[in-house]
Amino acid sequence: MNPATKETILFVDDEESILDIARTYFQSRGYKVHTASNGREAIDVMWNNRIDCCFTDINMPEMDGLELAEYIRNHDNTVPVVVMTGYPSLDNTIQTLKNGVVDFLIKPINLRQMEFSVERVLRERRLFIENMLLTKEVEGKARLEKLNKDLLEKNEELNVVNRIMTDFAALRESTDVLKQLVDLTAEFVQADVGCFYLINEAADQTIPIAYTKTDGAENICKHKVDGESDLFPWSGDPKVQKLIFDVVKDDQPLLISHNNGSGCLPEQINSFMLTPLKIRSKLLGVLSAFICKSDVRFNEKDLYYLSFMANKAASAMESLALYENIYNNLLATLYAFVKAIEARDPYTKQHSNRVTQISLALAKAMNCTTEEQDILNVAGLLHDIGKIGIRDEILLKPGRLSRDEFSIIQQHPIIGADIMDNLGLWHREKMIVRGHHERFDGTGYPDKLKGQEIPLLARILSVADVYDAIASDRAYRKRMEESKILEIMYGGAGTQFDPDIIDIFRRMYESGEVAKLTAETD
Ligand SMILES: [Fe+2]
């Protein structure tokens, strides 16, 4: 070691000559040396300087060597203390060891012996410090790893929670929520089977209404008891039923991490969880998760996810119900306007309703989706709502309309679409309302759309609308002859109407379905 980098030694003795000898000798060996003539002075030196080891006499005025050793041990146990005494006694020796003294030198002290001691205690000190640092480093690493693990877990938890929330928020039908709930159960808690039971408390009945299972779970989960439905393997199992009703009664989630064979669970179920689902503190049902094929076991965190999902599903159902309620209320209000328009003209009574029914029958026959049928239902009921702005003398005028009057009538699809646009709902429905007087050959109004440019549902609505108009009595004429009606309908294929839709209409008309529909609506 370079002499300049050697450690600092503190010598404490009330004999000045000893301090002088030690200072001269150890400085010449490259050490930095401080001296003090008693314990008190030594402490002052230590406050102001970094000390690597201390050699002290025992008997000194003010503060002796034993007190000093104790002070050092209490304040910095990395500084080794070596005691130098001329009168070693057993008591002294025991006391010095108690005070953390690491070596004992007997006066008169040989300098070489002293140097040997310095080298030894400093070597030990370096090892001690190195060890301490290493331990701290290892502890630090372990702490860091734990923090990292905690962070990853939190992150994963957050991702799961986020996915659950966005998945539920994206749903538009409250009936979809329960299916989504059981699907998420299989995904996030790795359940083989997830099932939601509606609870009929009055009849002590559980009704499994949504369930999901992972691939291969079906065969392993095969376990039916007498009279059980095919829907879900354990829906009628008395043990499962009992646990469900325990959860209903206690109003608390339940976790059976490991089926220990005590008989409270069917033996095919390895791990099991249940949580109640409540909407506005009223119980709707119970969500369950089963593991029956793998060795995985549910834990507390899985139970937390299960309860969280049930809560989010409850909120999603509540807000959807609210939305559906508002939506239906609004539709009912607007339909009341349509009825008011129809009431102005007794001949058009129930027109919108009949048009809707015929349109829906056509849409079904054309394999339109349920979403398209929903759109058509709203558009059909509201298609003539724009007539609200047209004066009675034009709307109800018997006989032919003048060119100006007809151009006013032609405004009603635009006014209707604008009314729906202002509500911010029903964008697709709005386009159907606007397009219900377009003609397949591009000569209709208001946008002169042609062929496939006209939305399919508007083309369907147009067939139903024209048929009902000519097949019922009007202010200015009676119901047309059937031959005339069919001439207009069938003859309009490719000019006024989409020929494919007329084909379907012809089939429905000839089978008597159209007549049946209009008779039912009247
Ligand atoms: Fe119309």
Side-chain angles (χ1 to χ4, degrees), residues 426-441:
W426 299 315
H427 176 75
R428 288 184 64 185
E429 289 83 344
K430 176 188 84 181
M431 301 313 292
I432 314 306
V433 168
R434 188 174 171 107
H436 81 275
H437 282 289
E438 299 292 352
R439 288 171 55 109
F440 200 70
D441 59 9

Side-chain angles (χ1 to χ4, degrees), residues 185-306:
T185 300
E187 183 181 346
F188 286 125
V189 300
Q190 268 119 52
D192 293 328
V193 176
C195 181
F196 183 79
Y197 301 90
L198 277 181
I199 302 294
N200 180 353
E201 278 187 88
D204 269 359
Q205 211 181 11
T206 62
I207 307 150
I209 57 160
Y211 93 119
T212 194
K213 59 186 181 314
T214 52
D215 292 342
E218 188 163 35
N219 288 333
I220 301 158
C221 295
K222 211 88 186 158
H223 171 66
K224 285 180 70 174
V225 293
D226 289 343
E228 190 172 39
S229 76
D230 279 337
L231 178 66
F232 183 64
W234 286 292
S235 58
D237 186 283
K239 292 171 181 168
V240 173
Q241 292 274 311
K242 180 181 179 313
L243 291 170
I244 290 174
F245 277 101
D246 284 351
V247 165
V248 169
K249 193 166 129 253
D250 299 344
D251 195 17
Q252 288 291 333
L254 170 83
L255 167 67
I256 301 178
S257 182
H258 178 70
N259 183 0
N260 60 7
S262 65
C264 66
L265 269 178
E267 61 182 26
Q268 294 87 348
I269 301 172
N270 297 336
S271 196
F272 182 60
M273 292 191 291
L274 287 172
T275 192
L277 187 153
K278 292 157 81 174
I279 296 179
R280 295 200 175 188
S281 72
K282 200 170 160 1
L283 183 83
L284 178 72
V286 171
L287 174 63
S288 64
F290 298 72
I291 290 176
C292 45
K293 61 170 182 162
S294 68
D295 293 331
V296 185
R297 295 287 178 269
F298 295 130
N299 56 30
E300 290 290 336
K301 191 166 159 190
D302 295 321
L303 190 66
Y304 163 74
Y305 283 153
L306 196 75

